[in-house]
Amino acid sequence: MGDSASNLNAIVTEVVTDGHVRPEELRPEEIAYLKEHALKKPLRVLDIWALGVGVVITGAYFGWNLGLKDNGPVAMLLASLIVCLLYLTWVLVLAELSVAMPFAGGPLAYGRRAWSPGLGFMMGWSMFLECLFATIATGLATGGYVAFLLNPENPDPLVRVLVGLATVVVFFLLQAWGVKEQSWAMMGMTYGAILGLIIFWIAAATNFSWERVWTSPVLPQGLGWVAVLKAVPYALWWLVMIETVALAAEEAHEPHRTIPRGLVLGQLTLIVLVVLTLVTACGAVDSQQLAFTLTTGEDGKQEEQLVDYPLLKAIAMIPVGQSRVLFYGFGCIALFGMIASYHGMIYGTSRQSFSMGRAGYLPSFLGEVHATRRTPVPSLFVCSLITAAFIITSYWFKDAIDVAVLVSTLTALLWYMVAVFCLFLLRRKEPGIFERYRTPLYRMLPITVVLLSAFAAIMYAMTNVTVVLLTVALYALGFIYFGLWARKRLQSAAPEELAARQICAGAENEP
Amino acid sequence: MTKQEQSLKPFEQRSSYIRLLEQITGVVLVGVLLSLVWMVLASILPELGEKIPLQAQVSAVLAILSAALVMISLMALAHTAPRD
């Protein structure tokens, strides 16, 4: 009991110190609140690497291939390199923010501290939507993937829904169990997902032709450079969600060391995976066949059906893939990619809603943690419930997965740009909090993030206007709740609020 | 200087090699931004790039993007390397 209490004291002290909060100014009830809502801090560089790679690796297994349709492999390669650059610069900027404010709230803390509760809510809500819709998309895709493995000719929608629901239940239980336990599981699944890609590269290399990658003409006639611009929104799916790692900062040991190193190593690993997967897949089979399949409709007309399982389809189309051992063996291992990402995404969603609930921006019960395991069980439960509801709904609404992917990507781009605005504001207001880690190319790298994000967002909005309207509606819903209810009920003892309040007090006391 | 003080030392004071790396990366990043401008302009006004073979244009942009990725990767690894 005594050990447990002293451990909790040590965790609270570390949270307070890492967040640049002055412990002597905390009131007893605030210390008690922090103890009740503190998370453990066991994560190290390898855990952060695994979380970063694991949560994003699903991008290599589905989604990106839709960008090949009509645009071709070279346009997709260029778009993918642009997105790789965006994310490599973004993780360096994110590391600076994350080390300065290592709270589970991540973007909520950045906006709150830099400007106001309103901006904090906007950023926190953006990341919540990004994580939630990515989780939904991956849950749906996992179900669809298993349904295809069981019956490649005619995947059963009911199997898709049932497997999706089973994924939700299993990972709710695993996440509720404990942070370190789920981190071990994440590491195992991440290794499995990488192994799946290595098997794919080797198999695809047996049928590789450079002419399929470097086509003639290099960009489609009639489209030219437009093909690259059109491929950008799909290329984003390769790497979106890496920022989940920032939410782990509160649970990271020595975040100023572990977060930047873990993020960079994870991002570089992912870039290698992106390039090798794209080049080997497009070199093994015709790129258009990775994007869609021609099927005959009920009226006898040929229809294009988009492919949700490009790597498995590529394996099935090459000579070595005729082996059932390779087809089903790869299919089973590739499942690691889907569930590893689902695991990381539900982690991100639950941590974001936990921190917003803890600080009063969302209903306060979401900010509770389990008494002994210190995991945010209510938040995990609610996020899993919403995901399950979407999976069930997808039985009737076939476009659910597309909408989920697109909303997730657009909300992500929006808060990347606002995060850089917060970084510049905070560097001016509180340069002291950035002493432990600073982004290389002090101003240029964050500006590059804004320009690349704006570039991608414009390309995205040009091709998917209806999703923009849905996203606006979701923001409106959030701001109505915040404006009418949450704004006057913010919890002043939450770490994000404490840190922001102390800064305001410090500024007022200055001569 | 203790290990903790060393870890808190501002990054810019630690290595002139890394500063050189940053300067080169900065130049390459300007090249990336110009490439994006070129892509957008050539999409809107296809006649702009007619005098240069498309394959040469694509190769140049590919080289700039690849160089930027390599430079930022090196810089990021150096910047986040464990400090003794």
Side-chain angles (χ1 to χ4, degrees):
Chain A
M1 184 71 185
D3 281 352
S4 169
S6 64
N7 282 344
L8 211 51
N9 281 333
I11 290 169
V12 169
T13 306
E14 205 173 336
V15 168
V16 166
T17 312
D18 286 342
H20 306 276
V21 176
R22 288 184 288 277
E24 65 277 10
E25 292 183 16
L26 293 180
R27 293 191 289 264
E29 65 271 22
E30 289 171 342
I31 293 173
Y33 186 85
L34 284 176
K35 280 182 183 175
E36 276 174 30
H37 295 77
L39 298 160
K40 286 183 181 176
K41 296 176 77 68
L43 304 180
R44 294 174 187 272
V45 171
L46 197 58
D47 301 303
I48 297 298
W49 171 85
L51 179 63
V53 175
V55 75
V56 174
I57 204 165
T58 192
Y61 282 93
F62 79 98
W64 62 270
N65 56 307
L66 305 179
L68 291 168
K69 187 172 177 288
D70 301 332
N71 302 322
V74 176
M76 191 63 201
L77 179 63
L78 288 169
S80 301
L81 292 181
I82 293 169
V83 168
C84 287
L85 262 179
L86 163 63
Y87 276 93
L88 190 52
T89 50
W90 166 235
V91 295
L92 289 164
V93 171
L94 183 65
E96 182 171 339
L97 282 164
S98 185
V99 169
M101 291 162 279
F103 304 124
L108 165 68
Y110 314 152
R112 172 66 186 95
R113 192 157 182 166
W115 189 262
S116 67
L119 189 67
F121 177 80
M122 183 266 172
M123 291 185 67
W125 185 243
S126 298
M127 181 147 189
F128 174 69
L129 292 176
E130 176 199 357
C131 293
L132 180 65
F133 280 89
T135 307
I136 291 164
T138 307
L140 286 167
T142 306
Y145 198 88
V146 173
F148 174 77
L149 261 183
L150 294 177
N151 185 0
E153 303 302 320
N154 188 21
D156 187 341
L158 187 62
V159 171
R160 186 165 61 91
V161 170
L162 291 176
V163 173
L165 290 176
T167 308
V168 171
V169 173
V170 167
F171 285 97
F172 164 71
L173 294 174
L174 184 58
Q175 294 266 347
W177 188 13
V179 175
K180 194 63 192 173
E181 289 79 1
Q182 65 92 4
S183 178
W184 288 335
M186 188 72 180
M187 216 174 289
M189 288 186 288
T190 303
Y191 289 136
I194 293 174
L195 176 66
L197 289 180
I198 292 171
I199 292 171
F200 173 77
W201 301 334
I202 294 169
T206 61
N207 200 47
F208 186 84
S209 163
W210 189 245
E211 283 71 33
R212 292 196 196 99
V213 181
W214 196 256
T215 51
S216 182
V218 280
L219 296 174
Q221 272 181 333
L223 281 180
W225 285 104
V226 176
V228 181
L229 306 184
K230 280 174 64 188
V232 168
Y234 297 101
L236 282 167
W237 186 246
W238 280 117
L239 296 171
V240 77
M241 286 294 290
I242 184 75
E243 51 276 7
T244 304
V245 173
L247 307 185
E250 194 174 321
E251 292 162 272
H253 179 68
E254 295 191 330
H256 63 287
R257 293 171 194 272
T258 51
I259 294 290
R261 189 68 175 170
L263 260 173
V264 165
L265 290 178
Q267 190 58 59
L268 292 180
T269 307
L270 287 163
I271 289 172
V272 172
L273 300 184
V274 166
V275 173
L276 283 175
T277 304
L278 177 62
V279 171
T280 53
C282 293
V285 297
D286 179 70
S287 65
Q288 296 310 295
Q289 297 198 42
L290 289 174
F292 63 88
T293 305
L294 282 175
T295 56
T296 307
E298 289 174 2
D299 54 358
K301 286 183 182 173
Q302 285 216 313
E303 293 173 352
E304 288 177 357
Q305 191 174 354
L306 298 176
V307 173
D308 283 341
Y309 34 84
L311 304 192
L312 202 54
K313 187 178 177 190
I315 290 272
M317 288 173 66
I318 59 180
V320 293
Q322 302 313 307
S323 154
R324 294 181 77 79
V325 174
L326 179 63
F327 179 76
Y328 285 105
F330 170 74
C332 292
I333 293 172
L335 265 179
F336 280 106
M338 314 295 286
I339 57 174
S341 294
Y342 180 86
H343 186 53
M345 286 168 180
I346 193 71
Y347 173 90
T349 315
S350 62
R351 280 352 182 236
Q352 192 59 30
S353 55
F354 158 76
S355 64
M356 291 184 82
R358 181 175 65 177
Y361 290 81
L362 288 179
S364 58
F365 75 92
L366 293 172
E368 302 294 330
V369 291
H370 189 275
T372 52
R373 297 199 171 278
R374 317 304 299 174
T375 50
V377 175
S379 197
L380 273 167
F381 180 74
V382 170
C383 295
S384 298
L385 205 62
I386 298 172
T387 307
F390 265 83
I391 287 173
I392 293 168
T393 311
S394 75
Y395 187 79
W396 296 279
F397 299 103
K398 303 298 178 195
D399 290 342
I401 191 166
D402 294 338
V403 172
V405 165
L406 297 175
V407 172
S408 171
T409 322
L410 187 56
T411 49
L413 289 172
L414 291 174
W415 85 260
Y416 298 167
M417 290 184 273
V418 183
V420 174
F421 168 71
C422 293
L423 176 69
F424 281 130
L425 268 182
L426 284 168
R427 278 177 176 176
R428 186 178 286 262
K429 276 172 66 179
E430 310 173 49
I433 66 171
F434 296 107
E435 275 175 3
R436 288 185 161 192
Y437 177 79
R438 284 180 194 157
T439 307
L441 294 174
Y442 193 63
R443 289 186 188 83
M444 190 172 188
L445 216 62
I447 290 171
T448 306
V449 171
V450 173
L451 293 175
L452 289 173
S453 298
F455 174 80
I458 291 167
M459 296 311 128
Y460 178 95
M462 278 166 61
T463 49
N464 300 286
V465 180
T466 49
V467 172
V468 176
L469 297 175
L470 174 63
T471 308
V472 170
L474 288 167
Y475 275 101
L477 193 70
F479 271 103
I480 288 170
Y481 175 80
F482 176 72
L484 296 181
W485 181 264
R487 193 168 55 89
K488 292 172 185 166
R489 291 171 176 78
L490 299 184
Q491 176 50 258
S492 62
E496 295 87 354
E497 288 296 312
L498 273 178
R501 195 191 67 204
Q502 290 210 345
I503 293 310
C504 294
E508 281 166 13
N509 293 338
E510 278 175 11
Chain B
M1 184 178 280
T2 66
K3 194 174 175 181
Q4 192 176 4
E5 284 167 340
Q6 178 72 23
S7 74
L8 298 178
K9 194 175 165 187
F11 179 79
E12 304 83 62
Q13 293 172 15
R14 289 197 298 121
S15 166
S16 56
Y17 157 74
I18 295 172
R19 250 178 288 162
L20 177 68
L21 202 60
E22 288 189 353
Q23 285 166 354
I24 298 170
T25 309
V27 173
V28 179
L29 272 180
V30 172
V32 169
L33 297 176
L34 291 175
S35 302
L36 294 184
V37 172
W38 171 255
M39 275 183 218
V40 175
L41 283 177
S43 301
I44 299 167
L45 305 165
E47 62 274 14
L48 265 183
E50 275 176 356
K51 288 183 180 169
I52 310 165
L54 187 59
Q55 188 154 341
Q57 294 177 41
V58 169
S59 302
V61 172
L62 200 58
I64 291 170
L65 290 174
S66 306
L69 271 175
V70 170
M71 292 307 299
I72 298 177
S73 302
L74 290 174
M75 192 178 65
L77 284 173
H79 205 81
T80 58
R83 300 170 205 178
D84 298 322

